[in-house]
Amino acid sequence: MKFIFALFASIILISCSIQQTYYDSDLSVATEQARSGNIKAAEQSYVSAVTRAKQHLTAREVSIALYNMGTFYRQQSNYDAAIKALKHSITYAGKADSFSDQEMGRRYIALAASYAELGQFKNGSPYLKKLAPFWSQYSSDELSFIKAVFTLYRSNLAAAGEDITFIPESALIKIDRYSKPPG
């Protein structure tokens, strides 16, 4: 009986390992296809990674695949699809309960930026609120992007009479009104 259980457990482990390899390959190929401009093939590879993760892997892998798919859609200006994938990524990330604040923040900022592209600042603001406590943990280009999104949200939410108190002053891009424009 112990032998049968051990054999069954070994088969499951091997199957998961093979599925993980295919999943990793799907994500890698999708990235390369998108980079080379083969958009339809890239989308199919992302769909394959999400499907494989849902069927054979953990909530963490599903969340990662959905996040990658969501950022791909955002880069393609398909904001509705990006929002859908990123929301699902956040749901699976919650189930996995294994993501750092920064990893979750990347999902929040991508989702808020997608909403901003559609002019739906009120819909995106809850995600910025979730990012606000730890936005300063980022650096370089990520931090610049986050500051740009916070700045954009602040001006648009304020113009609509919405609450902006969650946006830290230090998270805004400072513009010197007195400097001459270049050129």
Side-chain angles (χ1 to χ4, degrees):
M1 184 68 161
K2 287 181 182 179
F3 173 75
I4 293 173
F5 178 73
L7 180 64
F8 183 69
S10 296
I11 291 170
I12 289 174
L13 286 175
I14 291 170
S15 174
C16 287
S17 176
I18 290 169
Q19 294 302 327
Q20 181 72 45
T21 300
Y22 285 135
Y23 163 85
D24 292 339
S25 176
D26 284 340
L27 289 179
S28 178
V29 167
T31 301
E32 191 53 43
Q33 289 167 327
R35 191 175 295 129
S36 67
N38 195 347
I39 304 308
K40 286 294 181 195
E43 182 178 26
Q44 290 172 347
S45 293
Y46 282 120
V47 168
S48 177
V50 169
T51 302
R52 187 177 312 281
K54 284 181 177 180
Q55 291 174 351
H56 302 288
L57 302 173
T58 68
R60 180 173 178 78
E61 282 85 8
V62 176
S63 178
I64 291 168
L66 285 164
Y67 169 73
N68 288 332
M69 178 186 278
T71 57
F72 163 76
Y73 282 137
R74 200 169 77 70
Q75 291 166 351
Q76 302 307 311
S77 301
N78 187 347
Y79 302 112
D80 290 326
I83 288 167
K84 183 178 177 183
L86 291 164
K87 281 181 157 182
H88 287 307
S89 174
I90 290 168
T91 299
Y92 277 95
K95 291 176 185 177
D97 195 31
S98 65
F99 289 94
S100 69
D101 285 345
Q102 283 189 318
E103 290 170 314
M104 291 304 298
R106 288 182 184 103
R107 286 158 175 75
Y108 300 147
I109 197 68
L111 189 50
S114 296
Y115 275 120
E117 291 289 348
L118 296 174
Q120 298 176 9
F121 295 96
K122 191 172 180 178
N123 291 338
S125 65
Y127 301 101
L128 281 186
K129 285 179 184 177
K130 290 179 181 187
L131 175 64
F134 55 89
W135 71 270
S136 62
Q137 294 178 10
Y138 296 89
S139 61
S140 194
D141 290 341
E142 276 187 307
L143 182 59
S144 296
F145 180 68
I146 289 168
K147 285 184 170 189
V149 172
F150 269 124
T151 303
L152 182 64
Y153 265 79
R154 181 180 173 132
S155 63
N156 282 277
L157 290 173
E162 297 291 333
D163 176 39
I164 59 170
T165 58
F166 70 92
I167 299 174
E169 278 291 321
S170 55
L172 301 173
I173 296 174
K174 306 293 186 234
I175 299 171
D176 184 1
R177 291 183 278 167
Y178 302 106
S179 65
K180 285 185 169 184

